[in-house]
């Protein structure tokens, strides 16, 4: 089990300096050394989110912790929200908003297809919506939502734009300022290649200033409490609670790794690998769920060629080739394969292993040309060699 090539769409394998941090002795989550690390992490997060006047929070928890903190802090009971629902995680945004008693409207579209922007505009213009929520990279369908267009519509009608960047942060470009994203959350365990456990959050500072503290009915997930501790205990313990120092230092090492590689180069690496996956798999008869122009470069979601069973393919990859990919979830259960190429797994070796192994399985029952698919993968990944 531990030897498998882990190519599910997160968590990603934890490697190198990031893994080493997990084996280090624990240190205090306060004091001089901690403070320096904490400040450095905040600075790197601001750069990663590309939000200049952001307040950033390394919340302890899964990505959902970031979502709940944003909902709890920025929305109150009478507020309305609008959700782009075209995949499992879009629907999840809605579920979380519902759980907090927020009146929520959804713009539905077929899973894997972009939202109808006229309908988004209709809702935003006809009632006051406090926030528009959307998933950047929809991990269930392998598509990206039109962030720039959604951000501009939200702002035009005075709504906040809140974004789930769980499977994009550290892999796709995420220029929050340019796309008018006001609040954004990610997770440590996907394109950042760090262990699960940190949900990085960024919120535009001016928005937090306008929140009435009496409206926020929470403590740990109340970002204003995080601000208070940053202010009051800022010289030794800038966060409200204990944080696992191993998980935190691993996360910091992951962020440093992003900037050592260079953010642009890293995004380009994911773009190259994403395109190469799609083209080589198409050449063997697979079909992406999303149109090429909407595809995410961190996760590939494909239907197998006619007559080939997705669940069986997934099983064979694991049993015969030691490669772990994911199957479909929700509406796409049993219909697709989902392959993560996130952070450390956005590389040529893993790509060739997947294409070669899928090719060998397909060859048993179809006329597939595996060598030509491998050539497509290699020639499209030239920049990575
Ligand atoms: C787009 C997206 N949003 C949210 C989540 C949930 O993340 P977590 O399990 O860390 O809460 C995932 C996990 O796969 C995801 O891909």
């Amino acid at each position: 089990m531990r030897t498998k090539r882990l190519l599910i769409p997160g968590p990603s394998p934890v490697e190198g300096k990031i893994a080493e941090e997990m084996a280090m002795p624990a240190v205090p989550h306060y004091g001089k050394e901690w403070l320096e690390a904490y400040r450095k992490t905040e600075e790197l997060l601001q750069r990663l989110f590309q939000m200049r006047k952001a307040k950033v929070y390394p919340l302890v928890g899964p990505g959902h912790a970031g979502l709940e903190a944003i909902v709890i802090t920025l929305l109150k009971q009478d507020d309305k929200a609008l959700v782009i629902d075209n995949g499992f995680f879009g629907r999840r945004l809605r579920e979380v908003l519902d759980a907090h008693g927020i009146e929520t409207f959804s713009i539905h579209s077929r899973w894997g297809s972009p939202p109808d922007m006229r309908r988004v505009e209709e809702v935003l213009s006809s009632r006051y919506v406090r926030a528009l929520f959307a998933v950047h990279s929809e991990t269930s369908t392998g598509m990206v939502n039109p962030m720039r267009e959604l951000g501009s519509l939200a702002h035009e009608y005075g709504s906040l734009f809140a974004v789930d960047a769980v499977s994009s942060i550290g892999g796709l470009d995420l220029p929050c300022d340019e796309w008018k994203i006001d609040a954004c959350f990610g997770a440590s365990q996907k394109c950042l290649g760090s262990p699960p456990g940190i949900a990085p959050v960024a919120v535009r500072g001016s928005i937090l200033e306008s929140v009435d503290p009496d409206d926020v009915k929470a403590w740990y997930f109340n970002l204003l409490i995080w601000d208070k501790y940053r202010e009051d205990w800022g010289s030794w313990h800038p966060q409200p609670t204990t944080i696992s120092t191993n998980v935190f230092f691993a996360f910091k090492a992951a962020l440093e790794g992003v900037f050592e590689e260079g953010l642009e180069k890293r995004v380009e690496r994911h773009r190259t690998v994403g395109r190469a996956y799609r083209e080589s798999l198409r050449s063997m008869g697979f079909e992406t769920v999303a149109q090429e122009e909407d595809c995410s470069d961190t996760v590939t979601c494909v239907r197998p060629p006619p007559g080939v069973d997705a669940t069986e393919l997934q099983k064979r990859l694991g049993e015969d080739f030691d490669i772990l990919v994911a199957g479909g979830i929700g509406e796409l259960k049993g219909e697709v394969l989902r392959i993560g190429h996130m952070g450390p797994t956005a590389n040529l070796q893993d790509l060739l292993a997947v294409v070669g192994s899928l090719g060998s399985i397909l060859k048993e029952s179809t006329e597939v040309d595996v060598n030509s698919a491998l050539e497509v993968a290699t020639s499209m990944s030239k920049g990575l060699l």
Side-chain angles (χ1 to χ4, degrees):
M1 178 68 189
R2 306 281 287 188
T3 62
K4 283 201 165 61
R5 236 180 240 268
L6 185 63
L7 301 181
I8 57 174
S12 299
V14 176
E15 297 175 349
K17 285 186 193 163
I18 307 171
E20 281 166 25
E21 287 294 351
M22 292 303 284
M24 295 291 274
V27 292
H29 61 281
Y30 50 79
K32 189 167 176 293
E33 188 198 352
W34 172 258
L35 197 62
E36 274 171 23
Y38 195 90
R39 296 274 181 251
K40 180 74 193 166
T41 303
E42 286 184 315
E43 181 199 315
L44 294 173
L45 279 177
Q46 264 174 352
R47 286 171 63 193
L48 189 59
F49 280 108
Q50 301 177 56
M51 201 193 271
R52 261 177 307 123
K53 298 208 170 135
K55 286 194 170 159
V56 290
Y57 309 85
L59 296 185
V60 178
H64 281 96
L67 170 59
E68 290 223 292
I70 288 172
V71 173
I72 287 171
T73 309
L74 302 187
L75 279 81
K76 50 183 195 300
Q77 285 293 312
D78 298 337
D79 284 337
K80 296 177 178 44
L82 179 62
V83 165
I84 303 303
D85 172 5
N86 51 4
F88 183 89
F89 291 103
R91 199 152 292 173
R92 181 60 64 74
L93 292 172
R94 164 94 202 219
E95 251 178 68
V96 171
L97 284 156
D98 284 346
H100 287 279
I102 306 295
E103 190 184 346
T104 305
F105 309 96
S106 295
I107 302 293
H108 297 280
S109 50
R110 190 180 57 76
W111 281 27
S113 57
D116 179 342
M117 297 304 282
R118 274 175 321 179
R119 290 186 45 225
V120 176
E121 183 161 15
E122 252 166 50
V123 178
L124 289 175
S125 63
S126 61
R127 52 201 108 199
Y128 175 66
V129 169
R130 167 75 170 151
L132 166 64
F133 283 80
V135 178
H136 182 195
S137 164
E138 176 50 81
T139 324
S140 64
T141 60
M143 80 164 280
V144 286
N145 273 307
M147 291 291 109
R148 185 186 296 280
E149 292 77 5
L150 289 169
S152 53
L153 268 188
H155 273 223
E156 194 179 329
Y157 292 101
S159 301
L160 302 178
F161 186 32
V163 169
D164 170 342
V166 168
S167 71
S168 61
I169 192 164
L172 304 184
D173 198 19
L174 181 62
C176 286
D177 279 336
E178 204 181 310
W179 291 347
K180 302 188 169 65
I181 297 174
D182 299 296
C184 192
F185 66 97
S188 48
Q189 74 269 20
K190 296 191 189 252
C191 303
L192 293 169
S194 187
I198 305 265
V201 170
V203 182
R204 198 171 301 290
S206 54
I207 292 161
L208 286 158
E209 280 155 26
S210 67
V211 173
D212 180 346
D214 291 339
D215 286 338
V216 190
K217 308 291 180 217
W219 192 85
Y220 182 75
F221 287 122
N222 179 349
L223 297 175
L224 301 182
I225 293 285
W226 283 70
D227 290 346
K228 179 173 155 42
Y229 278 82
R230 196 195 281 111
E231 189 69 25
D232 295 355
W233 286 12
S235 60
W236 71 293
H237 189 309
Q239 78 289 347
T241 63
T242 308
I243 294 185
S244 154
T245 54
N246 291 88
V247 171
F248 188 85
F249 279 99
F251 180 64
K252 174 171 172 277
L255 295 178
E256 285 165 345
V258 170
F259 291 100
E260 273 158 29
E261 179 177 2
L263 189 52
E264 268 179 44
K265 269 180 83 177
R266 191 175 176 98
V267 167
E268 189 53 40
R269 170 163 64 87
H270 284 82
R271 190 174 297 136
T272 304
V273 171
R275 284 182 184 156
Y277 261 105
R278 297 193 293 276
E279 280 315 302
S280 49
L281 293 182
R282 281 188 191 119
S283 79
M284 292 197 293
F286 288 85
E287 242 181 48
T288 55
V289 167
Q291 297 288 318
E292 175 59 21
E293 62 273 21
D294 300 322
C295 281
S296 170
D297 291 319
T298 65
V299 50
T300 293
C301 180
V302 279
R303 291 194 166 84
V308 180
D309 183 68
T311 310
E312 184 59 22
L313 265 188
Q314 181 196 359
K315 195 162 150 250
R316 292 280 312 275
L317 276 180
E319 286 174 1
D320 300 351
F321 297 92
D322 236 17
I323 295 176
L324 215 59
V325 301
I329 46 175
E331 289 180 12
L332 294 174
K333 194 169 168 48
E335 287 185 27
V336 295
L337 287 184
R338 292 181 307 132
I339 305 155
H341 23 95
M342 303 177 152
T345 58
N347 67 64
L348 181 60
Q349 292 81 353
D350 286 330
L351 166 65
L352 294 179
V354 171
V355 172
S357 309
L358 282 174
S360 326
I361 302 170
L362 290 183
K363 237 176 142 179
E364 296 166 9
S365 56
T366 65
E367 293 288 300
V368 67
D369 183 348
V370 190
N371 284 338
S372 126
L374 287 168
E375 260 167 44
V376 172
T378 312
S379 70
M380 292 196 67
S381 312
K382 274 213 178 83
L384 300 173
L385 293 171

